[in-house]
Amino acid sequence: MPASGADATANGNAKSRDHNQGNQDKKYTIEQKAAVIRVRRCSATAFYEILGVEKTVSDAEIKKAYRKLSLLTHPDKNGYEGADEAFKMVSRAFQILSDSDKKSKYDKFGGDPDNRFGPGSASSASPFSSFARSPGGRGPMFEDEISPEELFNRFFGGGGMGGGPFGGGMFDTGPQFVFNLHGGNGIRVHQFGGARPRRRPRDANGNNEEPPQTAMSVLTNLLPILILFVLPLLSSIFSSPAPSGPSFRFNSPEPPYVMHRTTPRLKVDYYLNPDEVADYSGRKMSELDRKAENSYVTGLQYDCQLEMQTRNRMMEDAQGWFIQDAEKMRQARNYDMKNLGHGGSLLNMSDSLSEADKIRNKRLAKLGSQASAQSSVTGEGRGDGSTASPQPKAPVQPVANPEQSAPKINITNLSENYDPRETSLTQLETRQTKESAPRINPDNSRERPMTPTKRPNSVNRRPASRAGETLEEWENRVLSGIFRISVDPSVKTDVHGHALYFAKGVREELEEQGGPIKLSINVLEQAIVEVGSNSGKTKPLDYLLGCWKRVSRQFRSYRGQKIDEAKVDIVKEARRLCMSYCIFAVTIPDMFGQEQSATSPLTPHLLLDPEDDRSLCHDFLTEAISRFPEDDSVQPALIGAVEDMSRQLAKMTMNNDEYKLYVGALRNLVRYPALVKAIAQSSLFLPPSASAADLEATTLLGPFFAISPLQREATMNYFSSPKTRDQSFVETTQRTLRMALSAHQQDLLDIVNHIIKADKESRERMLDWFALCVNKNHKRRAMQVDQKLVSSDGFMINLTICLDQLCEPFMDAQFTKIDRIDVDYLRRKPRVDIKEETKLNADQSTSDEFFSQPADGQSNFISEIFFLTLAAHHYGSEAASNKMSQLEKDLKRMEKHIEEIELDRHKFLDDPLRLRMFENAVQKYKDQIDKGLSYKHAVQGVLLDEQSQQRTMQFMRYVIVWLFRLVAPTSQYPKQPLRLPLPLEQPEVFKCLPEYFLEDVVGAYRFVMQNMPLNIFSTQSDELVMLCITFLRCSEYIKNPYLKAGLVTIMYHGIWPFRNRSKGVLGDLLTSLDIATEHLLHALMKFYIEVENTGAHTQFYDKFNIRFEIFQIIKCIWSNTMYREQLDRESKVNVDFFVRFVNLLLNDVTFVLDESLSAFQQIHSLSNELKTSNGMEQALRTEKEEALSAAQGKAKSYMQLTNETVAMLKLFTEALADSFTMPEIVQRLADMLDYNLDVLVGPKRKDLVVENPKEYGFQPGVLLGEIVDVYLNLGRKESFVLAVARDGRSYKPANFEEARRILATKLFRSTREVDAWTSLFQRFKKAKEADDQAEEDLGEIPDEFLDPLVFTLMEDPVILPTSRTSIDRSTIRSHLLSDPNDPFNRSPLKIEDVIPDTELKEKIEAFKAEKRGAKTLAAAETSSMDISPG
């Protein structure tokens, strides 16, 4: 059967090949495109990822995934590029995963199991595995490979293993489809179906021999590669060095580039900033001309390369799978390459170029001629639309009349006499919408228009007057050319072929007056009104703006020339009248018979390219602004246009590039200071009643700052179908998003900078707008934020980034301008509203009183920007970061809720209507999740921008140093080191600062530390560590415990291992900085104690999370022995402080151990109950399952805390055994250890057995080993041994014996450790026996000698001052560690207030002496009886 698209006769002749073949015109859906892209991004051997399934997937699910993907990617159904490759990958993945043997090898070794030498081959496991045989008798080396199409046919019923539906087997010669990728020589042929591929006939005689490739054909095939890679390399080799010095531009003048120059050789027009070349000599200016020419030629060459690449791509696309598409090939060969024509023109003008540049230009022209002999660059056609034939080898003559055709320029046949300026004139003068001045313009898309050049002998330059021409005739000719007006009905076009408007009314009036029938300045106004009123489809303003461009060019051309003053006056007056009527067309449209528009007529003209005849060019704006004082209608017209731009932009998003026109237009306008002043005074600039939600739409600048990828439509555009996107797609899209946003933010900064620099009043209005935005958005930091009442994240982030950049000029590394930040700004009626903000360490009344006292002086700009930026971070980026964190939690909760809802689907299967309602409800919920996920990806992309975060870190570093100078004004940090602790007397101004001044710093560094720690530089790290230690060591300076907890979190994330840093970005600093080794441990212990009571309703659970982070920091720094010495010093110098710390540590160990182990007991019980109770009611079973799930969650959370707390106890007891055996501590510690030892090795340990204990972090052996280590660490102290023996509840000798057995047989501890444990156990037994004997000797103890709380004999009785109760000193000290009140009447109590009860102590001592004496006497009597005669 012939191949598709071929008509084969009996003798093999091929016919009918003049039509398209293959799938080049085949369409595809978005889903098909997405499937191809996703599959092709996968590794060739990532078979699970290709099919989109998990490793634990079943065979049925693999088939289901293959069925779906093969249909999506099949080349017959999917026309998207790369579909065939994706289809092969899907087929290969199914071949491997559907074969159990191959799947097993793949799961074990990875790679392709059929690849003999790959990592996944059997040979990687055994040197003999290559010779293994499959059940069919053939090993992997020789196994037949199934083509993707055959596999597809088999799977979808196209045959099965026996061939087609009628059998056929291995000799099947059924239908086949042969195609040739790209149709080029040497490209392999692919076959779908059939027995074997067959070659296409090469000619009509059936000759199948392939002609040998010639050198020319090889070069032709390699031409695209040469263009893409070799040509840029040659260009870089032969090009001149990159220009340096003043900047210049090649398009129209735009402030500050308003100084016009023309290069002397290539006649390239360009514009400079006069200030940058004010001191340039003539030699330097000549050198600058040369650099401008080189820059222009380089740009032109780049454009030429792009044209050639485009043409080559068109030719490749025209080369179908079977034959060429004739029409497409014709279009490719006739592709108009304008820039190559201009490049050839420049070759004849490049006598002044360097030899390297000449060589490069000639090569460029040569490449163009090789690519296609038919490719040429044409000028514009004639007015009637016809084109002229090329005239190679002959000079091009000046155009004699407008009816002549414009010649085509063939770059392959350039003549030495060819004058490119004449061709430029011909091209440009025949355009109805372009200027009549000559230009060297390579491509409109490059936007490099050149101004008229001064060439006296060129045909492009009209002589000022013609021989014998009178002033009236000159005036008529010039005004007719400028305004395109004729008073002679027989003259319909000018010398350039432009159509002229016949002013009939003007002619009639001139005839009535009997004067000459010529256009003059006297009748120009009447002519303008007549033509403007009867211009047809052309609007009066469009017509007049074109006239303005022409008259301005005419006026500029007189500069530096000796022109008759009368002629200059005529053109000057014509220019004045043209501007006046432009203004009339805007402000009084009925003058031209037009109706007043609801929007400003100028708005669309502001958005046009400056070179468009209808745009508002630099000359127009300059002239219009100059009329502000004399014409009060001009300013409102321009400002109205700007306001209209703002309103239109408010309806746009970042989904397309249309917004750039508006931003670019405003950037252009703010370069005129007078216009900036007028813009700042607009009623829309600071509307008095704008709400937070309205700022983005109702203020003039709001829509410009609202443009962001965080706009809802933009997020869904960037991240559509977010659940189907892999991480690489997300990261790539985020990078794209950041690039677009960064460019937009730079534009916003440019706009703001020009407004601020325009004048003082504009600067004040700009600052007022910033303040309005932050003050209106206080609710963005509320606990529950209603997004409808506040500004968007994108708007506020843009605002924050802009303010960050405004701060950069004064934020130098040496902090030379930090003294300019005046804290008294806050007491001079500041723009930033801080009245309702929570203060660092002052209540509202104290704060109000402080700020009610105004400060003298005037606030400077640096202070204004600094405090505005702090507020913007608080309500902008920090609020967005918090929202992202909350969004992640909400998405997890919603996903879980969806899973729970899906469990009820079976209830509606029998009711189609309810099932449809159920599915609609679920789909709506899933759509909300998709929106949330898209927004999450977008906001991550925005916030994780390295450049903006580095800028933020720089600002926050400045804030840290500024805060240090406030709390320690005499240190002048960083010039002098900061000394801790800080003064007890806190500066009043620091206490009354808004809390967010420090909260912004903590939040910013915490975010960066969690997500991009490498963004924190070493200098920032030093100050960050100092900040954390300073305000934890002097925690009384900050009232909010959660703000201090944020400092702990920063250090905690800073010690996370990262890449090659085992201690993170802060770990080494925490172990080496002097301020850390001296103060960090005390600061952490101090906050460990403080966090016991945070004042929040969640304080009980919050303290465990905070203490967990403290444990991690201590473990990181413990390797430095200086910290052990510091802990020992604390236990001896600050005894009460240390005892309280240890008491809380024991409380935590006791609680979390008890909670964890009880949770495991509950899990064990519930699991067994659910397994054995098959007949349990569903409701009861559900209840049990929920209880089991709760117990499992509890076990996971508490077990993590248990492991860290016990590990910390082991570290401390190893270093400081004496400190942990104080009378106030030792008994509680012994009781806790005995209890948990009983749980782990006692009779009830079987209740701790659960499935998958590692899932909960539960390792009983490890936990037992650490508890045993604590015993051994303290076993050297007799007080600890006695405390263990006195534990009447949990001390059980059998537990110690069982622990010894486990240590020796299961934990494999060394003999030395087992012997030490055995010896310690024997000491416990002896101490127990001795203590029991002592208690027996004392007999009945009087109640007055017993401690009223623990009922033991008092050793050191004291009297409590208010309740007058006697109690043992160790007992009351232990009580006060957790409760600062008298246990008998709840009065406040300190250990220093207790009174020694000496009288009671003497009685107790006498009682003990009496008992000891009685025991001695009894022993003596017993001894005498033993030796008496029997």
Side-chain angles (χ1 to χ4, degrees), residues 1354-1368:
M1354 290 186 283
E1355 300 290 338
D1356 184 13
V1358 294
I1359 301 173
L1360 304 184
T1362 55
S1363 65
R1364 306 306 298 178
T1365 303
S1366 293
I1367 191 171
D1368 196 69

Side-chain angles (χ1 to χ4, degrees), residues 973-1222:
Y973 181 85
K975 295 179 182 178
Q976 300 174 12
L978 196 66
R979 297 187 179 277
L980 298 181
L982 297 174
L984 293 177
E985 184 66 26
Q986 300 178 30
E988 195 70 17
V989 65
F990 178 82
K991 293 166 61 177
C992 295
L993 287 180
E995 194 176 84
Y996 72 73
F997 279 30
L998 183 58
E999 185 180 358
D1000 284 357
V1001 178
V1002 172
Y1005 276 106
R1006 180 169 54 197
F1007 178 83
V1008 172
M1009 199 69 73
Q1010 288 175 335
N1011 298 283
M1012 43 203 317
L1014 289 183
N1015 257 29
I1016 300 180
F1017 302 131
S1018 57
T1019 52
Q1020 297 170 349
S1021 300
D1022 291 353
E1023 278 135 11
L1024 181 59
V1025 169
M1026 291 188 64
L1027 176 77
C1028 296
I1029 295 175
T1030 297
F1031 289 111
L1032 288 174
R1033 177 66 177 83
C1034 307
S1035 57
E1036 59 275 4
Y1037 270 63
I1038 303 174
K1039 182 172 56 176
N1040 185 350
Y1042 292 98
L1043 185 53
K1044 290 179 278 190
L1047 300 173
V1048 174
T1049 301
I1050 289 175
M1051 291 190 287
Y1052 167 64
H1053 288 294
I1055 62 172
W1056 277 6
F1058 184 77
R1059 293 187 181 175
N1060 59 342
R1061 302 185 183 184
S1062 60
K1063 292 186 177 181
V1065 297
L1066 296 184
D1068 292 335
L1069 289 176
L1070 295 178
T1071 57
S1072 60
L1073 279 181
D1074 291 341
I1075 192 171
T1077 56
E1078 186 175 354
H1079 298 285
L1080 176 58
L1081 187 59
H1082 180 91
L1084 293 174
M1085 293 170 66
K1086 183 178 182 180
F1087 190 59
Y1088 188 99
I1089 296 170
E1090 287 183 9
V1091 81
E1092 181 71 16
N1093 297 291
T1094 63
H1097 68 281
T1098 57
Q1099 66 177 12
F1100 183 78
Y1101 301 99
D1102 293 339
K1103 70 179 180 182
F1104 289 115
N1105 293 327
I1106 297 169
R1107 286 171 177 170
F1108 173 81
E1109 294 179 352
I1110 292 176
F1111 290 153
Q1112 298 301 311
I1113 298 170
I1114 293 176
K1115 284 173 63 177
C1116 176
I1117 64 177
W1118 199 247
S1119 58
N1120 188 339
T1121 57
M1122 296 181 67
Y1123 285 106
R1124 304 184 188 189
E1125 296 170 1
Q1126 187 179 346
L1127 183 64
D1128 183 51
R1129 187 167 58 251
E1130 293 287 350
S1131 68
K1132 296 174 181 177
V1133 177
N1134 299 318
V1135 178
D1136 291 340
F1137 171 81
F1138 180 80
V1139 168
R1140 190 173 183 192
F1141 168 74
V1142 173
N1143 181 71
L1144 293 174
L1145 178 62
L1146 294 180
N1147 286 347
D1148 289 350
V1149 173
T1150 303
F1151 177 78
V1152 296
L1153 261 173
D1154 186 60
E1155 289 293 311
S1156 300
L1157 299 180
S1158 63
F1160 288 122
Q1161 293 171 349
Q1162 189 177 5
I1163 293 172
H1164 175 82
S1165 173
L1166 289 171
S1167 298
N1168 289 338
E1169 191 173 351
L1170 289 171
K1171 287 180 181 178
T1172 57
S1173 303
N1174 295 326
M1176 186 182 298
E1177 294 183 1
Q1178 184 59 40
L1180 182 58
R1181 174 173 289 275
T1182 302
E1183 182 181 348
K1184 297 286 185 182
E1185 289 173 347
E1186 291 176 353
L1188 176 61
S1189 177
Q1192 289 171 337
K1194 179 181 175 182
K1196 286 181 182 179
S1197 59
Y1198 278 118
M1199 199 62 228
Q1200 189 179 22
L1201 288 169
T1202 297
N1203 293 333
E1204 295 300 328
T1205 311
V1206 174
M1208 193 58 50
L1209 182 63
K1210 175 185 172 182
L1211 285 179
F1212 285 168
T1213 55
E1214 182 181 14
L1216 298 170
D1218 290 336
S1219 302
F1220 282 84
T1221 53
M1222 293 178 178

Side-chain angles (χ1 to χ4, degrees), residues 720-781:
S720 58
S721 304
K723 289 184 179 179
T724 65
R725 306 300 188 181
D726 56 22
Q727 189 60 29
S728 62
F729 172 86
V730 172
E731 291 175 356
T732 301
T733 306
Q734 287 176 340
R735 284 193 294 270
T736 304
L737 171 155
R738 284 194 287 268
M739 290 174 61
L741 181 60
S742 178
H744 178 59
Q745 289 169 345
Q746 284 300 122
D747 290 342
L748 294 178
L749 176 65
D750 186 55
I751 292 169
V752 171
N753 255 327
H754 278 88
I755 296 175
I756 288 175
K757 294 177 181 178
D759 67 333
K760 182 179 179 181
E761 190 173 1
S762 299
R763 180 174 67 246
E764 296 298 310
R765 297 277 287 179
M766 190 72 246
L767 295 176
D768 286 341
W769 185 78
F770 281 132
L772 175 68
C773 294
V774 296
N775 291 335
K776 289 286 186 179
N777 277 288
H778 282 207
K779 291 183 179 180
R780 279 178 57 84
R781 297 311 300 265

Side-chain angles (χ1 to χ4, degrees), residues 405 431 751 776 822 908 953 1140 1143 1158 1195 1218 1249 1424:
S405 300
R431 298 181 185 179
I751 292 169
K776 289 286 186 179
D822 187 3
F908 309 102
M953 294 302 99
R1140 190 173 183 192
N1143 181 71
S1158 63
D1218 290 336
V1249 178
S1424 62

Side-chain angles (χ1 to χ4, degrees), residues 36 145 241 261 403 423 465 586 724 759 785 1002 1046 1054 1177 1290 1404:
V36 171
E145 187 167 331
R261 282 187 66 81
E403 296 299 318
T423 303
S465 60
V586 175
T724 65
D759 67 333
V785 181
V1002 172
E1177 294 183 1
S1290 302
I1404 293 173

